[in-house]
Structures are given as structure tokens and as C-alpha cells.
Amino acid sequence: MDFKKACLVVPMSAALLLPTSLDVVNADDHNMPTVETEAVELRAELDKLLSEHAFLAAETMRKGAEGAPDFEASANALSANTDDLSAAIGSVYGEEAGMQFKAMWSEHIGYFVDYVNGTAEEDEEAKEMAKEELDDYRADFSAFLESATDERLNADELAEGLQMHVNQLIGAFDNYVEGDYEEAYSKEREAIHHMYGVSKGLTGAIVDQFPDQFNDTTADTPAADLRSNLNHLLSEHAGLATMAMQNGVEGTEDYEASVEALSNNTEDLSNAIASVYGEEAGMEFKEMWEGHIGDFVTYVEGTAEGEEAKQEEAVEALDAYRADFSSFLETASEGRLDADVLSESLGEHVDLLIHTFDQYTAEDYEMAYETLRESYGHMFMASKALSAEFVDQFPDQFAASEMPEEMPQTGMGGTANGNIDLWIFASIIALIGASGLLVFKKKSNQ
């Protein structure tokens, strides 16, 4: 296939990357900042697909290293992510092109598999061969992207970014095998976060190359960055929470490290509060979040102990929490957020996490990972709704063409604005707090 020729129809990818149910905004309507333009929708979809790839790749390699019974299901989920990308390419370039893309993308995943197998067999030559194959892949793919975007993307810089991706995933895997679980999860978080920069850069190149296809909108605005930052923190939370739950019920050696990774995800949010409102506010935020942990702890313990009454107690507590918090958010947002809609969304988030956990403990691994992917994707809808309301209520804070310098960093790419009220961050808790920091007992200790 002539990829250089094929790239001329890249903008058609917006038709399949943009969910048909979403309302996007025309450039003529840009008197106010918004998170709902064609360009931002493309960026959000790439956020999801690319970050999910990194998350699932890291977890699948880990599952392979430990010979976990759900390894095959995890690999199938990673393959399904590849199918989504390949289907997008196929709908633009035709079935043959989609198959060629799938083969190329699958090859790069296969090299990671070769590295895992080489590690299991203590075959240093096989591991080095896998690295060499990955090196050839990144060089070829970088050159293709530079050509496809009419040099809007630089091959050398792309190759450097791809090398970072390779180093993060292999580094996380090596650390895991060596028993340095804390560093393994740290690198996994880096790998996930890195993909958001990739999606932003790729989106920018596409919309700059084909502005008419995106109504002359851009994905590089404070509002777009807000949505992407929430995409990152919320979806990462869902993924890490699910894995920490699995590790907790199994009593794995990396359980504490997985809890710490989840805690660090929340720490990013807490740091944002503290940097805006002071240490006391940050502590209150953390206390509020940790106060909700007990409900999920109760559910997991009830599952491990086979006590349905304990499980029901936890579900009832979660239900009461979402109802109360939804009403609060409706009032805080001056009716911009509807309590019934919020409650339904919170209910779906809680249900997805519980169902994933239940399916895993029932050893229905295929369904567990299907639900995990659904849970991961659900958070991108949540981040869209939240960011849209934030921008609508505080448009002046997102009107600049660049992020204001006074916006403090949360530690992993998120930002917070000092003039935005605390309810914004509290609303984030409403969507993610249900999962909580998992500190339940290991199965081996019960």
C-alpha cells in the first residue's frame, strides 16, 4: 500500500474516531472556550486508544511474567485495542490497508512478547533480538509518519518518543521481574502518561494539515488540555483500581506497589488542591477521598469471606454516597450538572468496577477484561462532561490561547487554576472516589 498517497485521506478518520452521538462545535461558534470541537474530539479518542494500549501492554507483560491465569484474557484485551485502531484505518483506507496496519501494529506488540519469552527462558540473545526489532520498527514508523504529515512531525523526534515508549514498557517489565515493584508501577504510569503527549502531537499535525476537515478548530487550547488531563487521571484511576483489586484478592507480591501507584494517582489530585487552596485544603480533600474507601473495602472483604450481607451493605453505602454527592454537585454548579444524570453516571462507574471484580473472582476472565475496557472508556465520557461544565461555568479561566503560567502542575501533567472553586475538584472525587485506595487484606492473610 502507498502510505504516502493514503495519508491524503487521513481527515476522514475523524468520521470514525468521533462518536456519532457527540455534538461538536463549529469554528464560527468559538466566541466562548469549549471542549467540544472536532479537533478536541479527535484528540480525546486518540487519548483513549493510545493510553489504553500502554496500560494493557504493561499489564499483559506483567501477567505473562507471573504466568497468571488471566494472561490470555489480558492479551485478548490488548488485541481488541489493536482491532479498534485497525478498524479505524480500514474504514479510511479500505480493508486491505486496515489489515496491513494491523499486521504492522501487531508486529511491534509481538516484539514485546518476544522479549517477555526471552526473559522467561533466560535467553539474552532473544531479548537483544527483540530490542533490535523494536529499534528497526521505530525508525521505519517514524519515517512514515514524517512523510504522511508532510514533515509536520519530525522523524528523529518521533523515533526518540517511540524509544521512550519502548524503554518505559521494557523497563517496567524488567523491574517487575527483578522484584522492584514500586519502580515497575512508576514506569507503567510514565508509559500511560507519555501517550497523552503523543496523541496531542499527532492530533495537532493532522488538524494543521487538513484544517477544513476540522472546521479550523484546534486541539491545543487550555480547555482541550483540561479535558485531556481529566482523561488521563480518571481513566488511569479506573485501570489502576481494577488491577489493585485483583492483586489484593490474590495476595500478590506487587499488591502494595499497585496500591501505591493508585495512591499516587490520587495524590496528583490532592496536590492540585493543596497548590491552590493550601495544605489544609489538600488534607481535607484526601480525607474526604479516604473516607469513602471503607465502602469498597467492605465489598471486597465481603467477597473474600463469602458474606453477601457485607457486600450488600457496601453497595447500599455506595448508592447513598452517589445520591448525596450528585445533589451537592447540582447545587454547586448552579444547575449545570443534573443530579439525576450525575447519579446515573456514578452508578455506572461503581457497577463497572464491581462487575469487573466479580467477574475476575469468578474466573470469568474474558468478561472481566471486556468490562475493564468498558470501565476505562467510561471515564472519557465523564471527563468530557466535567470539563465542559468547568469551562462553561468559568469561561474566563480557559479563554487564553495558552495555559496561564500561574496554573500549578499536579505532578503528572494535570493542572489546576487558583480561581476555580473547590467543587470542581470535589466533582472529580464524585466520579473516581468510589474505587478508593484499596487497602483491604490480602487473601493469604484472611
Side-chain angles (χ1 to χ4, degrees):
M1 180 185 65
D2 185 350
F3 278 102
K4 173 64 175 176
K5 181 178 179 180
C7 77
L8 295 178
V9 292
V10 160
M12 291 181 63
S13 64
L16 29 66
L17 289 178
L18 302 183
T20 57
S21 61
L22 296 179
D23 293 326
V24 294
V25 179
N26 188 283
D28 294 337
D29 300 321
H30 287 173
N31 294 324
M32 299 293 285
T34 179
V35 301
E36 302 178 78
T37 69
E38 289 90 338
V40 178
E41 296 297 346
L42 174 62
R43 178 180 173 182
E45 189 66 13
L46 290 176
D47 279 353
K48 182 178 73 172
L49 292 174
L50 292 173
S51 68
E52 185 187 51
H53 162 77
F55 165 66
L56 290 174
E59 292 298 338
T60 299
M61 293 175 74
R62 180 172 68 85
K63 296 288 186 178
E66 63 188 34
D70 58 325
F71 166 72
E72 184 176 352
S74 180
N76 288 342
L78 179 59
S79 178
N81 172 271
T82 299
D83 288 342
D84 288 346
L85 288 168
S86 302
I89 296 298
S91 65
V92 174
Y93 306 117
E95 183 176 355
E96 181 179 356
M99 292 178 65
Q100 290 177 324
F101 175 90
K102 185 175 181 178
M104 183 169 58
W105 191 260
S106 297
E107 278 183 3
H108 116 272
I109 295 175
Y111 300 142
F112 284 114
V113 174
D114 292 341
Y115 188 86
V116 172
N117 290 336
T119 301
E121 298 166 4
E122 299 183 352
D123 187 340
E124 292 298 322
E125 184 176 351
K127 291 167 65 177
E128 287 303 315
M129 178 66 72
K131 287 183 178 180
E132 290 176 8
E133 295 284 7
L134 284 166
D135 193 59
D136 290 340
Y137 170 83
R138 73 183 182 89
D140 293 342
F141 206 71
S142 297
F144 153 66
L145 287 177
E146 181 182 66
S147 177
T149 60
D150 288 337
E151 299 184 352
R152 285 172 173 81
L153 296 176
N154 179 273
D156 291 339
E157 293 176 357
L158 285 166
E160 183 179 350
L162 282 170
Q163 187 61 54
M164 186 181 299
H165 175 62
V166 170
N167 291 345
Q168 288 164 341
L169 289 179
I170 286 183
F173 175 77
D174 285 344
N175 289 141
Y176 181 85
V177 172
E178 295 164 2
D180 188 353
Y181 304 127
E182 181 177 342
E183 185 64 21
Y185 279 97
S186 177
K187 284 191 173 70
E188 178 175 344
R189 290 197 72 210
E190 291 174 6
I192 293 170
H193 183 249
H194 174 68
M195 300 312 287
Y196 286 88
V198 174
S199 65
K200 181 176 182 177
L202 183 56
T203 301
I206 293 174
V207 301
D208 180 70
Q209 191 173 9
F210 306 98
D212 291 345
Q213 302 296 330
F214 297 90
N215 286 323
D216 293 308
T217 60
T218 177
D220 187 9
T221 66
D225 288 345
L226 172 66
R227 180 174 173 184
S228 187
N229 289 337
L230 290 178
N231 285 344
H232 167 222
L233 291 174
L234 294 177
S235 63
E236 183 188 56
H237 171 88
L240 293 177
T242 299
M243 291 305 160
M245 291 171 77
Q246 291 182 7
N247 293 340
V249 78
E250 296 291 352
T252 62
E253 293 182 355
D254 62 319
Y255 163 70
E256 291 184 3
S258 67
V259 167
E260 182 176 356
L262 181 59
S263 177
N264 288 339
N265 170 274
T266 301
E267 195 71 27
D268 289 339
L269 295 171
S270 300
N271 287 341
I273 296 296
S275 66
V276 174
Y277 303 109
E279 184 176 352
E280 183 178 353
M283 294 286 290
E284 290 177 357
F285 176 96
K286 197 169 186 179
E287 182 181 355
M288 183 179 180
W289 187 85
E290 291 178 343
H292 189 65
I293 295 171
D295 298 333
F296 248 86
V297 172
T298 299
Y299 187 85
V300 174
E301 289 181 342
T303 301
E305 298 164 5
E307 295 186 12
E308 292 186 6
K310 202 168 187 178
Q311 291 176 298
E312 292 175 359
E313 175 188 341
V315 171
E316 290 176 1
L318 288 166
D319 191 60
Y321 169 81
R322 68 186 180 90
D324 293 342
F325 222 95
S326 297
S327 295
F328 157 71
L329 287 175
E330 182 180 63
T331 301
S333 64
E334 299 174 353
R336 288 177 174 83
L337 295 171
D338 182 86
D340 292 336
V341 175
L342 283 167
S343 183
E344 182 179 353
S345 180
L346 278 168
E348 183 175 356
H349 175 59
V350 170
D351 289 345
L352 286 169
L353 286 173
I354 288 180
H355 290 163
T356 302
F357 177 73
D358 286 346
Q359 290 158 352
Y360 178 83
T361 57
E363 300 183 2
D364 188 356
Y365 301 128
E366 290 296 330
M367 282 303 303
Y369 278 90
E370 286 186 23
T371 308
L372 168 59
R373 292 198 70 209
E374 185 179 355
S375 177
Y376 193 91
H378 175 255
M379 303 312 286
F380 288 82
M381 293 187 291
S383 64
K384 177 183 178 178
L386 285 173
S387 59
E389 298 308 329
F390 301 167
V391 172
D392 181 64
Q393 189 167 12
F394 303 98
D396 291 345
Q397 309 304 327
F398 300 94
S401 59
E402 296 181 354
M403 297 297 276
E405 292 182 1
E406 63 268 19
M407 279 187 159
Q409 296 295 315
T410 64
M412 284 294 288
T415 57
N417 190 302
N419 295 322
I420 299 179
D421 291 338
L422 183 59
W423 76 265
I424 287 181
F425 296 98
S427 66
I428 295 174
I429 303 177
L431 286 174
I432 70 174
S435 298
L437 176 59
L438 303 168
V439 293
F440 46 84
K441 299 177 181 177
K442 296 182 182 180
K443 177 185 269 188
S444 59
N445 296 330
Q446 294 177 335

